[in-house]
Structure formats: C-alpha cells, structure tokens
Amino acid sequence: MPAPLVIANWKMNGSLEKNARLLNQLLTKLDTLEYLEVGICPPFPYLPQVSDHLSQSRINLGAQNVSAFEAGAYTGEVSAAMLREFGCRYILLGHSERRLLCQESNDQVTAKFEAVLKAELTPVLCVGETLEHRQRGESESVVSTQVQTVLDRVGIQGFANAVIAYEPVWAIGTGETATPEQAQAVHAQIRRILAGHDAAIANQLHILYGGSVNAANAQTLFSQKDVDGGLVGGASLEANAFLEICKAAHPGTHFDL
Ligand code: PGA
C-alpha cells in the first residue's frame, strides 16, 4: 500500500495574504511527515503563488477543476496542459458541488478524466451519494455508476495513476460525517469494482474519504482498512486543524508538530 494521501480543497476561499499565512504555518511541519503525501488545491488564480511556496517542499499542487477540451473557444475554461505548466499534479474531478451547481454529468466528468490522463496528471475522481439516495438505499448503486462510467471509458489502466475520493454529499460542509463503518463499506465496494479488473491496481489506488473531516474524527476514519486518507475542505483552511488531520493519516505518528 502506498503512503496515505491527504488533499486540501480550499474551494473558493483565500486571498494572497491569507494563503501566504496559512502556507507559512503549514509547510515546514508538513514536510516532517515523511510517510504521507499531501496535496493542496487552491482556486486557479492562486496556483502560481502556492506553487512558489511549495517549490522547496514535498507537498504537491492541485487544481479544483479542468476543462475536458485541449484548447479553443471555451471562455472561462482552463485546460489540463495549462494546469501542468503551473506545476499541478492532482486535479479534482466531479466534485459534488460541480455536479450539483454546474450540472456536471458522469459523461462530462469522464471526458475530464481522460483529459487529465492525457496531460499525465493525476485525476482525483470524486463520487458520492446525496441524502435522498442514501435514504432510498441507493448509495451503492449511485457510487458504482459514477465509478463504472469512467471505468468503461478509460479501462482499468486509467486508474493506475488516479485517486478516488468518496464524499457523501450529505456530509460535505454540513458537520455531519459518515460513520467509519459507512465510509469503509463504500470504500470496500469501490475497491471491489476495480479489483474485478485488476487486483494490483485496485490495491495501490488511494481511496480518500471526504465530508466534514476534522481533527476529532480523522483518526477513526483513517483507521478503516480501505480509507487511504482524506479530501479536506473547511478544516484545510485552518493550519492546526489541517496539521492534526495530516498527523492522523500518517502511520504511527506520535510526535508533536
Ligand atoms: P468539507 O468539504 O471538508 O468542508 O466537508 C470536503 C470537500 O468538499 O471536498
């Protein structure tokens, strides 16, 4: 199993001043966590600023969205090649806020996934059910379809350098978290789908949990067998909370940061 992975999703938050302060508080401490991979996904305009800060660090840069297209008349869009030029490694795809607010479909998310692979970057495919789905007992089928649509198009090899983030929509930004058992059940299901095609790829794939991860609940969530780290929104904007979450993901961390 690779080292755990924690990705910060800043969403539409930050300013030049706030970002600099947060990064100064985080970076030297995060670099001491040797067996942890960390990514930070700021809003697009701050990519050069964050990239500069990360240049001497082990932390990877990421972006929150990408166009499915390579170039051309797509006003307001940003291509995977452009994100690569600015040093991005991780690209979030299909975040529920984009699925809901921008009506991104599984097909569009799949096209973006392909664009990210073509640019040799790492897609972070976000999947998850709404509260209505869960209440109707449809969590498994919704998540399966979200994964399967991409799998059908890119094949299992497309997941050899990818990350999946399970983020139940009802747990995002609500303070309500999936129980460790609920998270584990869906993570295991995702891994089973992929293992049906290639066990080695399924076993080395990071499956992150996201949705109100905080300093208090991170440890129990990350201790689940198929939870390989987290995708963290709100708590990633606060240095101490994010450091605690990273510590919780780091195997055998018993030291003060
Ligand atoms: P949250 O967001 O941690 O604020 O719930 C997670 C996410 O949307 O990626």
Side-chain angles (χ1 to χ4, degrees):
M1 193 59 222
L5 169 65
V6 176
I7 299 181
N9 174 11
W10 286 1
K11 308 194 180 185
M12 198 173 73
N13 292 294
S15 67
L16 290 171
E17 191 194 329
K18 282 187 194 159
N19 304 344
R21 198 175 332 122
L22 179 57
L23 291 165
N24 286 334
Q25 289 171 307
L26 287 178
L27 291 188
T28 42
K29 293 184 172 171
L30 283 180
D31 273 334
T32 65
L33 296 176
E34 285 176 30
Y35 301 105
L36 182 69
E37 288 178 41
V38 180
I40 295 181
C41 302
F44 286 144
Y46 299 127
L47 288 172
Q49 180 202 19
V50 179
S51 175
D52 277 355
H53 277 264
L54 298 186
S55 60
Q56 302 302 319
S57 118
R58 295 173 42 250
I59 313 306
N60 286 298
L61 186 63
Q64 300 174 19
N65 184 32
V66 68
S67 171
F69 302 102
E70 282 183 33
Y74 302 104
T75 303
E77 295 291 304
V78 173
S79 75
M82 292 171 187
L83 296 175
R84 192 188 156 98
E85 273 199 313
F86 280 88
C88 285
R89 166 160 177 206
Y90 298 110
I91 315 291
L92 306 186
L93 298 174
H95 190 282
S96 66
E97 284 151 17
R98 297 205 57 85
R99 290 182 191 262
L100 294 175
L101 300 174
C102 307
Q103 278 84 47
E104 278 188 19
S105 67
N106 281 332
D107 283 340
Q108 284 168 319
V109 172
T110 303
K112 292 181 177 203
F113 194 106
E114 286 183 298
V116 172
L117 288 184
K118 197 162 177 205
E120 297 183 347
L121 300 175
T122 303
V124 180
L125 173 65
C126 303
V127 298
E129 80 285 5
T130 62
L131 185 58
E132 295 72 45
H133 291 136
R134 181 159 279 271
Q135 285 167 342
R136 289 201 298 263
E138 294 170 2
S139 307
E140 295 211 350
S141 64
V142 168
V143 171
S144 290
T145 303
Q146 290 169 336
V147 173
Q148 195 66 49
T149 310
V150 180
L151 189 56
D152 287 346
R153 184 99 66 93
V154 303
I156 189 65
Q157 284 303 328
F159 284 84
N161 180 32
V163 174
I164 295 182
Y166 169 56
E167 300 203 301
V169 180
W170 46 272
I172 294 179
T174 59
E176 199 167 327
T177 322
T179 64
E181 294 74 25
Q182 284 171 327
Q184 167 57 26
V186 179
H187 283 229
Q189 179 211 350
I190 293 170
R191 210 180 300 280
R192 263 197 311 276
I193 294 173
L194 298 170
H197 297 263
D198 187 313
I201 289 178
N203 286 333
Q204 61 78 45
L205 178 93
H206 284 108
I207 306 179
L208 310 183
Y209 171 79
S212 297
V213 175
N214 59 38
N217 61 27
Q219 186 92 56
T220 44
L221 286 161
F222 298 161
S223 65
Q224 298 299 304
K225 178 172 170 291
D226 288 294
V227 178
D228 308 315
L231 178 55
V232 185
S236 72
L237 299 170
E238 211 270 295
N240 286 337
F242 191 62
L243 287 168
E244 285 302 320
I245 290 167
C246 289
K247 259 169 64 176
H250 190 276
T253 307
H254 300 295
F255 53 86
D256 291 334
L257 280 175

PDB file of all heavy atoms in Angstrom, residues 96-127:
ATOM      1  N   SER A  96     -18.929  17.099  -5.908  1.00  0.00           N
ATOM      2  CA  SER A  96     -20.401  17.180  -5.877  1.00  0.00           C
ATOM      3  C   SER A  96     -20.895  18.604  -6.045  1.00  0.00           C
ATOM      4  O   SER A  96     -21.981  18.831  -6.577  1.00  0.00           O
ATOM      5  CB  SER A  96     -20.935  16.587  -4.576  1.00  0.00           C
ATOM      6  OG  SER A  96     -20.529  17.375  -3.496  1.00  0.00           O
ATOM      7  N   GLU A  97     -20.083  19.587  -5.596  1.00  0.00           N
ATOM      8  CA  GLU A  97     -20.529  20.974  -5.792  1.00  0.00           C
ATOM      9  C   GLU A  97     -20.588  21.307  -7.287  1.00  0.00           C
ATOM     10  O   GLU A  97     -21.442  22.075  -7.723  1.00  0.00           O
ATOM     11  CB  GLU A  97     -19.611  21.935  -5.017  1.00  0.00           C
ATOM     12  CG  GLU A  97     -19.929  21.891  -3.527  1.00  0.00           C
ATOM     13  CD  GLU A  97     -18.765  22.189  -2.603  1.00  0.00           C
ATOM     14  OE1 GLU A  97     -17.751  22.747  -3.047  1.00  0.00           O
ATOM     15  OE2 GLU A  97     -18.885  21.836  -1.413  1.00  0.00           O
ATOM     16  N   ARG A  98     -19.709  20.715  -8.066  1.00  0.00           N
ATOM     17  CA  ARG A  98     -19.764  20.942  -9.513  1.00  0.00           C
ATOM     18  C   ARG A  98     -20.856  20.082 -10.151  1.00  0.00           C
ATOM     19  O   ARG A  98     -21.537  20.522 -11.075  1.00  0.00           O
ATOM     20  CB  ARG A  98     -18.404  20.645 -10.151  1.00  0.00           C
ATOM     21  CG  ARG A  98     -17.317  21.589  -9.635  1.00  0.00           C
ATOM     22  CD  ARG A  98     -16.194  21.735 -10.612  1.00  0.00           C
ATOM     23  NE  ARG A  98     -16.676  22.197 -11.897  1.00  0.00           N
ATOM     24  CZ  ARG A  98     -16.881  23.498 -12.206  1.00  0.00           C
ATOM     25  NH1 ARG A  98     -16.640  24.438 -11.326  1.00  0.00           N
ATOM     26  NH2 ARG A  98     -17.330  23.828 -13.402  1.00  0.00           N
ATOM     27  N   ARG A  99     -21.036  18.870  -9.644  1.00  0.00           N
ATOM     28  CA  ARG A  99     -22.121  18.043 -10.196  1.00  0.00           C
ATOM     29  C   ARG A  99     -23.466  18.732  -9.948  1.00  0.00           C
ATOM     30  O   ARG A  99     -24.343  18.741 -10.803  1.00  0.00           O
ATOM     31  CB  ARG A  99     -22.119  16.655  -9.544  1.00  0.00           C
ATOM     32  CG  ARG A  99     -20.926  15.770  -9.942  1.00  0.00           C
ATOM     33  CD  ARG A  99     -21.052  14.401  -9.276  1.00  0.00           C
ATOM     34  NE  ARG A  99     -19.873  13.574  -9.373  1.00  0.00           N
ATOM     35  CZ  ARG A  99     -19.688  12.602 -10.283  1.00  0.00           C
ATOM     36  NH1 ARG A  99     -20.609  12.353 -11.187  1.00  0.00           N
ATOM     37  NH2 ARG A  99     -18.581  11.886 -10.275  1.00  0.00           N
ATOM     38  N   LEU A 100     -23.626  19.322  -8.749  1.00  0.00           N
ATOM     39  CA  LEU A 100     -24.916  19.922  -8.408  1.00  0.00           C
ATOM     40  C   LEU A 100     -25.062  21.336  -8.962  1.00  0.00           C
ATOM     41  O   LEU A 100     -26.055  21.668  -9.585  1.00  0.00           O
ATOM     42  CB  LEU A 100     -25.109  19.959  -6.878  1.00  0.00           C
ATOM     43  CG  LEU A 100     -25.231  18.604  -6.188  1.00  0.00           C
ATOM     44  CD1 LEU A 100     -25.285  18.766  -4.678  1.00  0.00           C
ATOM     45  CD2 LEU A 100     -26.481  17.862  -6.667  1.00  0.00           C
ATOM     46  N   LEU A 101     -24.045  22.184  -8.732  1.00  0.00           N
ATOM     47  CA  LEU A 101     -24.188  23.599  -9.103  1.00  0.00           C
ATOM     48  C   LEU A 101     -23.984  23.828 -10.593  1.00  0.00           C
ATOM     49  O   LEU A 101     -24.535  24.748 -11.171  1.00  0.00           O
ATOM     50  CB  LEU A 101     -23.179  24.463  -8.325  1.00  0.00           C
ATOM     51  CG  LEU A 101     -23.291  24.417  -6.800  1.00  0.00           C
ATOM     52  CD1 LEU A 101     -22.157  25.195  -6.157  1.00  0.00           C
ATOM     53  CD2 LEU A 101     -24.640  24.973  -6.348  1.00  0.00           C
ATOM     54  N   CYS A 102     -23.162  22.997 -11.228  1.00  0.00           N
ATOM     55  CA  CYS A 102     -22.849  23.199 -12.652  1.00  0.00           C
ATOM     56  C   CYS A 102     -23.413  22.061 -13.505  1.00  0.00           C
ATOM     57  O   CYS A 102     -23.072  21.951 -14.687  1.00  0.00           O
ATOM     58  CB  CYS A 102     -21.342  23.302 -12.864  1.00  0.00           C
ATOM     59  SG  CYS A 102     -20.575  24.530 -11.814  1.00  0.00           S
ATOM     60  N   GLN A 103     -24.232  21.216 -12.888  1.00  0.00           N
ATOM     61  CA  GLN A 103     -24.877  20.089 -13.607  1.00  0.00           C
ATOM     62  C   GLN A 103     -23.879  19.224 -14.368  1.00  0.00           C
ATOM     63  O   GLN A 103     -24.149  18.777 -15.481  1.00  0.00           O
ATOM     64  CB  GLN A 103     -25.950  20.607 -14.584  1.00  0.00           C
ATOM     65  CG  GLN A 103     -27.285  20.897 -13.937  1.00  0.00           C
ATOM     66  CD  GLN A 103     -27.312  22.279 -13.332  1.00  0.00           C
ATOM     67  OE1 GLN A 103     -26.912  23.231 -13.978  1.00  0.00           O
ATOM     68  NE2 GLN A 103     -27.760  22.400 -12.089  1.00  0.00           N
ATOM     69  N   GLU A 104     -22.697  19.015 -13.797  1.00  0.00           N
ATOM     70  CA  GLU A 104     -21.734  18.134 -14.479  1.00  0.00           C
ATOM     71  C   GLU A 104     -22.230  16.696 -14.427  1.00  0.00           C
ATOM     72  O   GLU A 104     -22.565  16.195 -13.354  1.00  0.00           O
ATOM     73  CB  GLU A 104     -20.358  18.223 -13.802  1.00  0.00           C
ATOM     74  CG  GLU A 104     -19.564  19.406 -14.265  1.00  0.00           C
ATOM     75  CD  GLU A 104     -18.126  19.413 -13.749  1.00  0.00           C
ATOM     76  OE1 GLU A 104     -17.607  18.364 -13.329  1.00  0.00           O
ATOM     77  OE2 GLU A 104     -17.537  20.503 -13.767  1.00  0.00           O
ATOM     78  N   SER A 105     -22.279  16.067 -15.577  1.00  0.00           N
ATOM     79  CA  SER A 105     -22.774  14.683 -15.657  1.00  0.00           C
ATOM     80  C   SER A 105     -21.611  13.698 -15.543  1.00  0.00           C
ATOM     81  O   SER A 105     -20.445  14.080 -15.697  1.00  0.00           O
ATOM     82  CB  SER A 105     -23.474  14.473 -16.999  1.00  0.00           C
ATOM     83  OG  SER A 105     -22.498  14.558 -18.025  1.00  0.00           O
ATOM     84  N   ASN A 106     -21.957  12.429 -15.355  1.00  0.00           N
ATOM     85  CA  ASN A 106     -20.912  11.402 -15.327  1.00  0.00           C
ATOM     86  C   ASN A 106     -20.124  11.386 -16.639  1.00  0.00           C
ATOM     87  O   ASN A 106     -18.919  11.165 -16.643  1.00  0.00           O
ATOM     88  CB  ASN A 106     -21.539  10.017 -15.100  1.00  0.00           C
ATOM     89  CG  ASN A 106     -21.885   9.794 -13.638  1.00  0.00           C
ATOM     90  OD1 ASN A 106     -21.265  10.360 -12.744  1.00  0.00           O
ATOM     91  ND2 ASN A 106     -22.895   8.968 -13.387  1.00  0.00           N
ATOM     92  N   ASP A 107     -20.799  11.653 -17.749  1.00  0.00           N
ATOM     93  CA  ASP A 107     -20.095  11.653 -19.039  1.00  0.00           C
ATOM     94  C   ASP A 107     -19.101  12.811 -19.127  1.00  0.00           C
ATOM     95  O   ASP A 107     -17.985  12.645 -19.632  1.00  0.00           O
ATOM     96  CB  ASP A 107     -21.091  11.736 -20.204  1.00  0.00           C
ATOM     97  CG  ASP A 107     -21.756  10.393 -20.437  1.00  0.00           C
ATOM     98  OD1 ASP A 107     -21.198   9.366 -19.989  1.00  0.00           O
ATOM     99  OD2 ASP A 107     -22.834  10.365 -21.038  1.00  0.00           O
ATOM    100  N   GLN A 108     -19.523  13.977 -18.631  1.00  0.00           N
ATOM    101  CA  GLN A 108     -18.596  15.121 -18.668  1.00  0.00           C
ATOM    102  C   GLN A 108     -17.403  14.875 -17.743  1.00  0.00           C
ATOM    103  O   GLN A 108     -16.259  15.189 -18.077  1.00  0.00           O
ATOM    104  CB  GLN A 108     -19.320  16.403 -18.258  1.00  0.00           C
ATOM    105  CG  GLN A 108     -20.214  16.937 -19.356  1.00  0.00           C
ATOM    106  CD  GLN A 108     -21.149  18.021 -18.850  1.00  0.00           C
ATOM    107  OE1 GLN A 108     -21.697  17.922 -17.755  1.00  0.00           O
ATOM    108  NE2 GLN A 108     -21.317  19.055 -19.650  1.00  0.00           N
ATOM    109  N   VAL A 109     -17.694  14.314 -16.582  1.00  0.00           N
ATOM    110  CA  VAL A 109     -16.615  14.021 -15.633  1.00  0.00           C
ATOM    111  C   VAL A 109     -15.643  13.026 -16.269  1.00  0.00           C
ATOM    112  O   VAL A 109     -14.421  13.161 -16.149  1.00  0.00           O
ATOM    113  CB  VAL A 109     -17.201  13.472 -14.300  1.00  0.00           C
ATOM    114  CG1 VAL A 109     -16.094  12.987 -13.384  1.00  0.00           C
ATOM    115  CG2 VAL A 109     -18.053  14.540 -13.619  1.00  0.00           C
ATOM    116  N   THR A 110     -16.183  12.066 -16.994  1.00  0.00           N
ATOM    117  CA  THR A 110     -15.334  11.070 -17.656  1.00  0.00           C
ATOM    118  C   THR A 110     -14.445  11.728 -18.714  1.00  0.00           C
ATOM    119  O   THR A 110     -13.256  11.405 -18.838  1.00  0.00           O
ATOM    120  CB  THR A 110     -16.208   9.983 -18.321  1.00  0.00           C
ATOM    121  OG1 THR A 110     -17.026   9.414 -17.314  1.00  0.00           O
ATOM    122  CG2 THR A 110     -15.371   8.894 -18.950  1.00  0.00           C
ATOM    123  N   ALA A 111     -15.020  12.665 -19.468  1.00  0.00           N
ATOM    124  CA  ALA A 111     -14.223  13.353 -20.501  1.00  0.00           C
ATOM    125  C   ALA A 111     -13.094  14.147 -19.835  1.00  0.00           C
ATOM    126  O   ALA A 111     -11.963  14.201 -20.338  1.00  0.00           O
ATOM    127  CB  ALA A 111     -15.121  14.266 -21.321  1.00  0.00           C
ATOM    128  N   LYS A 112     -13.373  14.740 -18.690  1.00  0.00           N
ATOM    129  CA  LYS A 112     -12.328  15.482 -17.972  1.00  0.00           C
ATOM    130  C   LYS A 112     -11.248  14.521 -17.470  1.00  0.00           C
ATOM    131  O   LYS A 112     -10.056  14.824 -17.501  1.00  0.00           O
ATOM    132  CB  LYS A 112     -12.949  16.249 -16.799  1.00  0.00           C
ATOM    133  CG  LYS A 112     -13.850  17.379 -17.250  1.00  0.00           C
ATOM    134  CD  LYS A 112     -14.435  18.131 -16.077  1.00  0.00           C
ATOM    135  CE  LYS A 112     -15.262  19.302 -16.602  1.00  0.00           C
ATOM    136  NZ  LYS A 112     -15.424  20.368 -15.619  1.00  0.00           N
ATOM    137  N   PHE A 113     -11.684  13.367 -16.995  1.00  0.00           N
ATOM    138  CA  PHE A 113     -10.749  12.348 -16.500  1.00  0.00           C
ATOM    139  C   PHE A 113      -9.778  11.982 -17.634  1.00  0.00           C
ATOM    140  O   PHE A 113      -8.556  11.908 -17.440  1.00  0.00           O
ATOM    141  CB  PHE A 113     -11.558  11.130 -16.048  1.00  0.00           C
ATOM    142  CG  PHE A 113     -10.822  10.112 -15.217  1.00  0.00           C
ATOM    143  CD1 PHE A 113     -11.050  10.015 -13.849  1.00  0.00           C
ATOM    144  CD2 PHE A 113      -9.923   9.220 -15.796  1.00  0.00           C
ATOM    145  CE1 PHE A 113     -10.390   9.048 -13.083  1.00  0.00           C
ATOM    146  CE2 PHE A 113      -9.266   8.257 -15.037  1.00  0.00           C
ATOM    147  CZ  PHE A 113      -9.500   8.178 -13.675  1.00  0.00           C
ATOM    148  N   GLU A 114     -10.328  11.789 -18.818  1.00  0.00           N
ATOM    149  CA  GLU A 114      -9.461  11.440 -19.961  1.00  0.00           C
ATOM    150  C   GLU A 114      -8.481  12.572 -20.279  1.00  0.00           C
ATOM    151  O   GLU A 114      -7.317  12.321 -20.592  1.00  0.00           O
ATOM    152  CB  GLU A 114     -10.325  11.164 -21.199  1.00  0.00           C
ATOM    153  CG  GLU A 114     -11.053   9.842 -21.121  1.00  0.00           C
ATOM    154  CD  GLU A 114     -11.836   9.565 -22.400  1.00  0.00           C
ATOM    155  OE1 GLU A 114     -12.751  10.348 -22.717  1.00  0.00           O
ATOM    156  OE2 GLU A 114     -11.518   8.573 -23.081  1.00  0.00           O
ATOM    157  N   ALA A 115      -8.970  13.813 -20.197  1.00  0.00           N
ATOM    158  CA  ALA A 115      -8.099  14.958 -20.491  1.00  0.00           C
ATOM    159  C   ALA A 115      -6.947  15.023 -19.488  1.00  0.00           C
ATOM    160  O   ALA A 115      -5.805  15.330 -19.840  1.00  0.00           O
ATOM    161  CB  ALA A 115      -8.909  16.257 -20.455  1.00  0.00           C
ATOM    162  N   VAL A 116      -7.242  14.709 -18.241  1.00  0.00           N
ATOM    163  CA  VAL A 116      -6.207  14.759 -17.199  1.00  0.00           C
ATOM    164  C   VAL A 116      -5.178  13.645 -17.428  1.00  0.00           C
ATOM    165  O   VAL A 116      -3.967  13.865 -17.333  1.00  0.00           O
ATOM    166  CB  VAL A 116      -6.849  14.646 -15.790  1.00  0.00           C
ATOM    167  CG1 VAL A 116      -5.785  14.504 -14.714  1.00  0.00           C
ATOM    168  CG2 VAL A 116      -7.714  15.871 -15.522  1.00  0.00           C
ATOM    169  N   LEU A 117      -5.652  12.461 -17.782  1.00  0.00           N
ATOM    170  CA  LEU A 117      -4.712  11.366 -18.066  1.00  0.00           C
ATOM    171  C   LEU A 117      -3.820  11.721 -19.256  1.00  0.00           C
ATOM    172  O   LEU A 117      -2.621  11.461 -19.235  1.00  0.00           O
ATOM    173  CB  LEU A 117      -5.469  10.074 -18.380  1.00  0.00           C
ATOM    174  CG  LEU A 117      -6.166   9.360 -17.220  1.00  0.00           C
ATOM    175  CD1 LEU A 117      -6.777   8.054 -17.724  1.00  0.00           C
ATOM    176  CD2 LEU A 117      -5.213   9.084 -16.052  1.00  0.00           C
ATOM    177  N   LYS A 118      -4.425  12.329 -20.252  1.00  0.00           N
ATOM    178  CA  LYS A 118      -3.661  12.685 -21.460  1.00  0.00           C
ATOM    179  C   LYS A 118      -2.541  13.671 -21.120  1.00  0.00           C
ATOM    180  O   LYS A 118      -1.461  13.633 -21.716  1.00  0.00           O
ATOM    181  CB  LYS A 118      -4.618  13.291 -22.490  1.00  0.00           C
ATOM    182  CG  LYS A 118      -4.069  13.332 -23.856  1.00  0.00           C
ATOM    183  CD  LYS A 118      -5.153  13.510 -24.907  1.00  0.00           C
ATOM    184  CE  LYS A 118      -4.491  13.624 -26.270  1.00  0.00           C
ATOM    185  NZ  LYS A 118      -5.287  14.342 -27.213  1.00  0.00           N
ATOM    186  N   ALA A 119      -2.789  14.539 -20.157  1.00  0.00           N
ATOM    187  CA  ALA A 119      -1.763  15.512 -19.749  1.00  0.00           C
ATOM    188  C   ALA A 119      -0.796  14.904 -18.729  1.00  0.00           C
ATOM    189  O   ALA A 119       0.058  15.610 -18.179  1.00  0.00           O
ATOM    190  CB  ALA A 119      -2.435  16.757 -19.163  1.00  0.00           C
ATOM    191  N   GLU A 120      -0.959  13.617 -18.447  1.00  0.00           N
ATOM    192  CA  GLU A 120      -0.102  12.896 -17.492  1.00  0.00           C
ATOM    193  C   GLU A 120      -0.149  13.501 -16.105  1.00  0.00           C
ATOM    194  O   GLU A 120       0.861  13.609 -15.401  1.00  0.00           O
ATOM    195  CB  GLU A 120       1.337  12.807 -18.027  1.00  0.00           C
ATOM    196  CG  GLU A 120       1.379  12.012 -19.317  1.00  0.00           C
ATOM    197  CD  GLU A 120       2.768  11.833 -19.867  1.00  0.00           C
ATOM    198  OE1 GLU A 120       3.696  12.511 -19.404  1.00  0.00           O
ATOM    199  OE2 GLU A 120       2.922  10.994 -20.768  1.00  0.00           O
ATOM    200  N   LEU A 121      -1.356  13.910 -15.715  1.00  0.00           N
ATOM    201  CA  LEU A 121      -1.586  14.376 -14.340  1.00  0.00           C
ATOM    202  C   LEU A 121      -2.453  13.334 -13.630  1.00  0.00           C
ATOM    203  O   LEU A 121      -2.891  12.352 -14.245  1.00  0.00           O
ATOM    204  CB  LEU A 121      -2.273  15.741 -14.368  1.00  0.00           C
ATOM    205  CG  LEU A 121      -1.471  16.838 -15.084  1.00  0.00           C
ATOM    206  CD1 LEU A 121      -2.275  18.120 -15.159  1.00  0.00           C
ATOM    207  CD2 LEU A 121      -0.138  17.074 -14.388  1.00  0.00           C
ATOM    208  N   THR A 122      -2.686  13.549 -12.342  1.00  0.00           N
ATOM    209  CA  THR A 122      -3.417  12.555 -11.548  1.00  0.00           C
ATOM    210  C   THR A 122      -4.856  13.003 -11.311  1.00  0.00           C
ATOM    211  O   THR A 122      -5.090  13.979 -10.583  1.00  0.00           O
ATOM    212  CB  THR A 122      -2.717  12.347 -10.182  1.00  0.00           C
ATOM    213  OG1 THR A 122      -1.368  11.953 -10.429  1.00  0.00           O
ATOM    214  CG2 THR A 122      -3.431  11.309  -9.349  1.00  0.00           C
ATOM    215  N   PRO A 123      -5.823  12.317 -11.931  1.00  0.00           N
ATOM    216  CA  PRO A 123      -7.214  12.677 -11.674  1.00  0.00           C
ATOM    217  C   PRO A 123      -7.645  12.224 -10.274  1.00  0.00           C
ATOM    218  O   PRO A 123      -7.270  11.133  -9.834  1.00  0.00           O
ATOM    219  CB  PRO A 123      -7.990  11.900 -12.746  1.00  0.00           C
ATOM    220  CG  PRO A 123      -7.082  10.827 -13.222  1.00  0.00           C
ATOM    221  CD  PRO A 123      -5.681  11.207 -12.905  1.00  0.00           C
ATOM    222  N   VAL A 124      -8.386  13.076  -9.610  1.00  0.00           N
ATOM    223  CA  VAL A 124      -8.972  12.710  -8.309  1.00  0.00           C
ATOM    224  C   VAL A 124     -10.482  12.687  -8.531  1.00  0.00           C
ATOM    225  O   VAL A 124     -11.144  13.733  -8.529  1.00  0.00           O
ATOM    226  CB  VAL A 124      -8.598  13.730  -7.208  1.00  0.00           C
ATOM    227  CG1 VAL A 124      -9.218  13.332  -5.869  1.00  0.00           C
ATOM    228  CG2 VAL A 124      -7.077  13.861  -7.084  1.00  0.00           C
ATOM    229  N   LEU A 125     -10.993  11.501  -8.790  1.00  0.00           N
ATOM    230  CA  LEU A 125     -12.407  11.351  -9.145  1.00  0.00           C
ATOM    231  C   LEU A 125     -13.270  11.367  -7.878  1.00  0.00           C
ATOM    232  O   LEU A 125     -13.146  10.476  -7.031  1.00  0.00           O
ATOM    233  CB  LEU A 125     -12.603  10.025  -9.892  1.00  0.00           C
ATOM    234  CG  LEU A 125     -14.047   9.635 -10.194  1.00  0.00           C
ATOM    235  CD1 LEU A 125     -14.693  10.613 -11.166  1.00  0.00           C
ATOM    236  CD2 LEU A 125     -14.109   8.209 -10.739  1.00  0.00           C
ATOM    237  N   CYS A 126     -14.114  12.392  -7.751  1.00  0.00           N
ATOM    238  CA  CYS A 126     -14.978  12.495  -6.567  1.00  0.00           C
ATOM    239  C   CYS A 126     -16.314  11.825  -6.865  1.00  0.00           C
ATOM    240  O   CYS A 126     -16.934  12.093  -7.902  1.00  0.00           O
ATOM    241  CB  CYS A 126     -15.221  13.956  -6.204  1.00  0.00           C
ATOM    242  SG  CYS A 126     -13.697  14.877  -5.898  1.00  0.00           S
ATOM    243  N   VAL A 127     -16.728  10.972  -5.955  1.00  0.00           N
ATOM    244  CA  VAL A 127     -18.008  10.273  -6.096  1.00  0.00           C
ATOM    245  C   VAL A 127     -18.745  10.363  -4.769  1.00  0.00           C
ATOM    246  O   VAL A 127     -18.137  10.633  -3.729  1.00  0.00           O
ATOM    247  CB  VAL A 127     -17.800   8.777  -6.483  1.00  0.00           C
ATOM    248  CG1 VAL A 127     -17.099   8.660  -7.823  1.00  0.00           C
ATOM    249  CG2 VAL A 127     -17.003   8.024  -5.407  1.00  0.00           C
TER     250      VAL A 127
END
